[in-house]
Structures are given as C-alpha cells and as structure tokens.
Amino acid sequence: MKVETSFLSKKLRIDYMVEGAEKVKSLTLANLNKNVSSEQLGQIVEGLKPLINGQIAKIYVTEVTHGIAE
C-alpha cells in the first residue's frame, strides 16, 4: 500500500481517553489545507467531542513541509 502526505499541509492529532480506560488513544487527520484557520480546527474538535466516550487529553497541529511516500 502506498501512503502519500501532501507538501505544505497541516495535520491535526487529537489524543483522548476513553471513559474507564487507562491508555490514551489518538485520532489523526492528515492532508488538511495549509490555510486552515484555528477557528476551523476548533470546529472539528468540537464536532468530535460528542462522538468520543471520554475526554480529549491534548490537541496537536503540525505543519507538514515535506512529503512521505511509503
């Protein structure tokens, strides 16, 4: 399988704890538009909160400046 990451994009990673669990899980959205605003990222996070049976632990936004092909 080939995985490609777009040059000059953003990646959003959300770490969360499922209620009753001890281990942190994460969800990553890659290849986001490089011009995505903080408000738009906040809307994504707010939209996911009701779907997670637990709490959001940490949010990371990374700017991707190089691509990967595997």
Side-chain angles (χ1 to χ4, degrees):
M1 179 162 94
K2 187 175 180 178
V3 177
E4 293 185 17
T5 300
S6 177
F7 291 108
L8 303 175
S9 64
K10 287 192 179 178
K11 188 186 313 186
L12 172 66
R13 185 177 112 194
I14 301 169
D15 289 350
Y16 63 96
M17 292 278 294
V18 175
E19 196 171 306
E22 295 180 18
K23 190 174 179 183
V24 174
K25 296 187 177 212
S26 67
L27 166 74
T28 302
L29 297 175
N31 297 324
L32 298 174
N33 186 309
K34 68 179 180 178
N35 297 318
V36 67
S37 69
S38 295
E39 183 180 331
Q40 290 170 316
L41 293 171
Q43 289 174 352
I44 293 170
V45 173
E46 289 301 316
L48 289 172
K49 277 184 180 180
L51 303 175
I52 295 171
N53 186 19
Q55 295 183 24
I56 292 180
K58 194 152 188 171
I59 299 165
Y60 302 89
V61 178
T62 308
E63 289 191 32
V64 179
T65 57
H66 59 281
I68 318 170
E70 294 179 359

